[in-house]
Amino acid sequence: MGNKKLGRQSVALATPPSVAGYASVVGKKEGEGPLATTFDLIQQDDTFGEKSWEKAESTMQKLALSAALDKAGLSASNLDYILAGDLLNQCIGTGFAVRGQNVPFYGLYGACSTMAESLSVGAMLLDGGFGTHAACMTSSHFCSAERQYRTPLEYGGQRTPTAQWTVTGSGCVILSSEGAGPYVTHVTTGKIVDKGIKDANNMGAAMAPAAYETLLAHFQDTGRRPSDYDLILTGDLGQLGKEIVLDLLHRDGLEVPNLEDCGVLIYDLEGQDVHCGGSGCGCSAVVLTGLLLNGMKSGRWKRLLFCGTGALLSPTSTQQGESIPCICHAVAFSTQK
Amino acid sequence: MGNKKLGRQSVALATPPSVAGYASVVGKKEGEGPLATTFDLIQQDDTFGEKSWEKAESTMQKLALSAALDKAGLSASNLDYILAGDLLNQCIGTGFAVRGQNVPFYGLYGACSTMAESLSVGAMLLDGGFGTHAACMTSSHFCSAERQYRTPLEYGGQRTPTAQWTVTGSGCVILSSEGAGPYVTHVTTGKIVDKGIKDANNMGAAMAPAAYETLLAHFQDTGRRPSDYDLILTGDLGQLGKEIVLDLLHRDGLEVPNLEDCGVLIYDLEGQDVHCGGSGCGCSAVVLTGLLLNGMKSGRWKRLLFCGTGALLSPTSTQQGESIPCICHAVAFSTQK
């Protein structure tokens, strides 16, 4: 069969998979932010009725999957694959959410790029003829992330000015090999980029070069320009990371006024005391499955480039003095095939 | 394009990808075991010259990738994808190994099923026309795993009779869309199976039902029988887990005398004091990239079914009283397309 590769990192899907359903589930703080009206479910109790934050995170994923399947008019038995992952050690948020679904499953680890990674792999599996339906999913939870990556919440540790706030949320997209769109038309797979940033409280600066390089690769591989998109979304660079990526693009003569960042959009940066903005796998996932896909469905936007960014560090690698390897995967959506 | 699905969980590859190169890198203990002559590199110093076990694990992956590329006559710039993961929190063994390779990368998390998962996804991406070369890779390290999952090695904690020994090793397979084989002909994607086992020192018993269900799905979906394979390999069930899976198959009237387990093969169970056998992502990875692919290349075996098994628990999930969700992915190899 024909090679669908464009350049070094991109592919054009021959039969672009369609978004059959999608859903977003968030916690209280996200439900008090500027995107509140775009979410399917806002839970006031961040435990989601569970006895631990890790179990709460699994419950969020189960709720997002169930709601997305409902909106697609499908059941789990229609799914050929679930592609999912999260930030918790050994991705237990996902493992325990997928348990009991009785669906073939591939676990992914892309840190906060996981929503884009799951969509990338899912779209290629469907386009390749390996199934007709795939659920692409991820989550993060402020409390489980803080406990694991930083310090117990009870310490009340002070946050640095460059810190971001881990989103409590889960997003799920059901892709189908047939449907009325929006469609996934292109995928640009990221390479790991590490410019030597070692401050685990400055993820935006660490991830911005990965976003920049994937954007350049996407434009070069596909021959598209930034203006070919109504909106270009980076994952969760936050305010500082967004400024860095725009600055890097500017140095190449690329002005991208239509670039927004999910980590900036999801909170009121001033009013909600989140410093540089949102982060976590759930950040870009719930902005995609709320604001963005709603906007495509309503005709507000015709073409979006969704660029999930992830920082592939761990507390151990930071303690061992390592810098932060980062990645960014880009997924192009269009209302037309 | 045509749907390549067979039944609920399997696919037949239309243009089976070929194994262009493969390599195994192991530590001292594995090099003292019965498969010693099958490995490409045996390192006497388990630090691999690094200052931490986690960095040693990354170095192992880099060595395995480099050796596999050499044997394939390729360089990293020929790779369309690296698909890899490991057991460490946030998969840092992989992240830091892939950093600097300058290759599009998807991180996977399938615990000890990762070698089979990476081959599954890699084979489908190539067969789907999304590239021509993919590196499929994983690793585990006894010392990094013990520290993270159990207790500091310095405690000298006693091991239970059902415990397995985490393999220090990394395996890498380079798949190519063209070549002389062996070929990946079928993939059966696992579902999560959890029969309620809560003993994190009895992984074989926890994972055996997942292996059993994937084997049944594979035979049902493809219409093949166990005797259609020269050898059926489970990942790292160990002695007890292997007995359980054979017993489960026996109850269905399926006798599978050609089933072996990578966790049983890799050590001298009596002489090397490893209790139930080997485990860890590296276990099935180095048996595949040593004994198994060597045996296919030499004409000893024509058809193999490689079933990677993984336990998707974490220390946190165990502490919270959870049972162990498990998964098994099966990949069929053949010397004929």
Side-chain angles (χ1 to χ4, degrees):
Chain A
M1 74 176 308
N3 194 323
K4 299 162 186 170
K5 276 290 286 280
L6 299 174
R8 175 86 178 101
Q9 294 177 243
S10 304
V11 300
L13 300 170
T15 310
S18 176
V19 174
Y22 58 93
S24 54
V25 174
V26 299
K28 182 167 182 282
K29 190 179 186 87
E30 294 69 29
E32 292 166 351
L35 302 187
T37 59
T38 69
F39 302 125
D40 292 281
L41 175 64
I42 299 168
Q43 178 70 259
Q44 296 302 314
D45 169 10
D46 278 357
T47 70
F48 285 72
E50 298 290 344
K51 286 186 176 173
S52 76
W53 292 319
E54 290 77 14
K55 292 183 194 226
E57 191 169 334
S58 285
T59 297
M60 275 198 300
Q61 277 201 28
K62 283 190 265 192
L63 290 168
L65 174 62
S66 169
L69 283 168
D70 280 352
K71 286 164 81 175
L74 296 169
S75 70
S77 63
N78 297 116
L79 294 173
D80 296 290
Y81 304 97
I82 293 174
L83 302 152
D86 61 82
L87 286 170
L88 295 179
N89 297 343
Q90 288 73 58
C91 299
I92 55 168
T94 301
F96 287 89
V98 174
R99 180 179 70 173
Q101 304 291 347
N102 202 28
V103 175
F105 166 63
Y106 288 127
L108 307 177
Y109 185 72
C112 306
S113 73
T114 302
M115 192 70 232
E117 180 181 354
S118 65
L119 287 163
S120 300
V121 177
M124 288 194 276
L125 292 186
L126 299 193
D127 186 61
F130 303 106
T132 56
H133 295 90
C136 307
M137 181 165 72
T138 190
S139 64
S140 56
H141 192 297
F142 175 76
C143 301
S144 62
E146 284 299 307
R147 164 150 80 186
Q148 178 182 285
Y149 283 101
R150 297 179 186 98
T151 55
L153 284 179
E154 293 79 358
Y155 282 15
Q158 198 160 5
R159 303 169 67 79
T160 69
T162 55
Q164 294 172 242
W165 190 277
T166 303
V167 165
T168 297
S170 174
C172 178
V173 173
I174 311 292
L175 292 179
S176 170
S177 52
E178 295 186 355
Y183 302 98
V184 175
T185 60
H186 297 77
V187 168
T188 299
T189 307
K191 300 172 179 180
I192 292 182
V193 176
D194 184 340
K195 296 296 185 191
I197 300 270
K198 294 190 175 189
D199 180 359
N201 288 306
N202 194 355
M203 298 291 202
M207 295 192 291
Y212 161 72
E213 294 202 11
T214 293
L215 283 166
L216 280 195
H218 179 79
F219 297 132
Q220 187 172 334
D221 290 346
T222 62
R224 292 185 168 191
R225 293 158 303 172
S227 59
D228 288 327
Y229 291 98
D230 297 310
L231 206 53
I232 295 172
L233 272 296
T234 48
D236 52 346
L237 300 180
Q239 188 64 48
L240 179 61
K242 179 186 169 185
E243 285 169 18
I244 294 170
V245 78
L246 285 173
D247 187 51
L248 290 168
L249 290 164
H250 171 75
R251 292 184 197 186
D252 287 341
L254 278 169
E255 306 304 330
V256 191
N258 52 336
L259 186 145
E260 298 287 348
D261 182 73
C262 297
V264 175
L265 294 172
I266 192 165
Y267 297 121
D268 171 359
L269 300 198
E270 297 296 316
Q272 289 191 289
D273 189 28
V274 294
H275 297 219
C276 264
S279 67
C281 299
C283 179
S284 63
V286 302
V287 176
L288 175 70
T289 55
L291 179 73
L292 303 183
L293 289 172
N294 284 352
M296 293 198 85
K297 281 280 194 185
S298 72
R300 181 174 175 193
W301 299 304
K302 290 197 172 108
R303 272 187 180 184
L304 288 183
L305 186 62
F306 175 72
C307 307
T309 44
L312 305 173
L313 81 169
S314 83
T316 302
S317 67
T318 300
Q319 284 159 10
Q320 293 182 4
E322 272 292 357
S323 53
I324 306 174
C326 295
I327 199 158
C328 173
H329 304 295
V331 179
F333 288 89
S334 172
T335 52
Q336 303 288 320
K337 275 194 191 183
Chain B
M1 72 177 307
N3 194 324
K4 298 163 187 169
K5 274 293 284 279
L6 299 173
R8 175 85 178 101
Q9 293 178 242
S10 303
V11 300
L13 300 171
T15 309
S18 176
V19 174
Y22 58 93
S24 53
V25 174
V26 299
K28 183 166 180 280
K29 190 179 185 87
E30 293 69 28
E32 292 166 351
L35 303 187
T37 59
T38 68
F39 301 125
D40 291 281
L41 175 63
I42 299 168
Q43 178 70 260
Q44 296 302 315
D45 170 9
D46 279 358
T47 71
F48 285 74
E50 297 290 344
K51 287 187 176 173
S52 76
W53 292 319
E54 290 75 17
K55 292 183 193 223
E57 192 168 336
S58 285
T59 297
M60 275 198 299
Q61 278 201 27
K62 282 190 265 192
L63 290 169
L65 174 61
S66 169
L69 283 167
D70 280 352
K71 286 164 81 176
L74 297 168
S75 70
S77 64
N78 297 115
L79 294 173
D80 296 290
Y81 304 98
I82 293 176
L83 302 153
D86 61 83
L87 286 169
L88 295 179
N89 296 342
Q90 289 71 58
C91 299
I92 55 169
T94 301
F96 288 89
V98 174
R99 179 179 71 174
Q101 304 291 348
N102 201 27
V103 175
F105 167 63
Y106 288 128
L108 307 178
Y109 184 72
C112 306
S113 73
T114 302
M115 191 71 233
E117 181 180 355
S118 65
L119 287 163
S120 301
V121 177
M124 289 194 276
L125 291 186
L126 298 193
D127 187 61
F130 303 106
T132 57
H133 295 89
C136 308
M137 182 165 69
T138 190
S139 64
S140 56
H141 192 296
F142 175 76
C143 301
S144 62
E146 285 298 308
R147 163 150 80 187
Q148 178 182 286
Y149 282 102
R150 297 180 186 96
T151 55
L153 284 180
E154 294 80 357
Y155 283 13
Q158 198 160 5
R159 302 168 68 78
T160 68
T162 55
Q164 293 171 242
W165 190 277
T166 303
V167 166
T168 298
S170 174
C172 178
V173 173
I174 311 293
L175 292 179
S176 169
S177 53
E178 295 184 355
Y183 302 98
V184 175
T185 60
H186 297 77
V187 168
T188 299
T189 307
K191 301 173 178 178
I192 292 182
V193 175
D194 184 339
K195 295 298 186 190
I197 299 270
K198 293 190 176 186
D199 180 359
N201 288 306
N202 194 356
M203 297 292 202
M207 294 192 292
Y212 161 73
E213 294 202 10
T214 293
L215 282 166
L216 280 195
H218 179 79
F219 297 131
Q220 187 172 334
D221 290 347
T222 62
R224 292 186 168 189
R225 293 158 303 171
S227 59
D228 288 328
Y229 291 98
D230 297 311
L231 207 52
I232 295 171
L233 271 297
T234 49
D236 53 347
L237 300 179
Q239 188 65 47
L240 178 61
K242 179 186 168 186
E243 285 169 20
I244 295 170
V245 78
L246 285 174
D247 187 50
L248 290 169
L249 290 164
H250 171 74
R251 293 184 197 186
D252 288 341
L254 278 169
E255 304 306 327
V256 191
N258 52 334
L259 186 145
E260 299 286 348
D261 183 73
C262 297
V264 175
L265 294 172
I266 193 167
Y267 296 121
D268 171 0
L269 301 198
E270 297 296 317
Q272 289 191 288
D273 188 29
V274 293
H275 297 218
C276 265
S279 68
C281 300
C283 179
S284 64
V286 300
V287 175
L288 176 70
T289 55
L291 179 72
L292 303 182
L293 289 172
N294 284 353
M296 294 198 83
K297 281 280 194 186
S298 72
R300 182 174 175 193
W301 299 304
K302 290 198 172 108
R303 272 188 179 182
L304 288 182
L305 187 62
F306 176 72
C307 307
T309 44
L312 305 173
L313 82 171
S314 83
T316 302
S317 67
T318 300
Q319 285 159 9
Q320 293 182 3
E322 270 292 357
S323 53
I324 306 173
C326 296
I327 199 158
C328 172
H329 304 296
V331 180
F333 288 90
S334 172
T335 52
Q336 304 289 320
K337 275 195 191 179

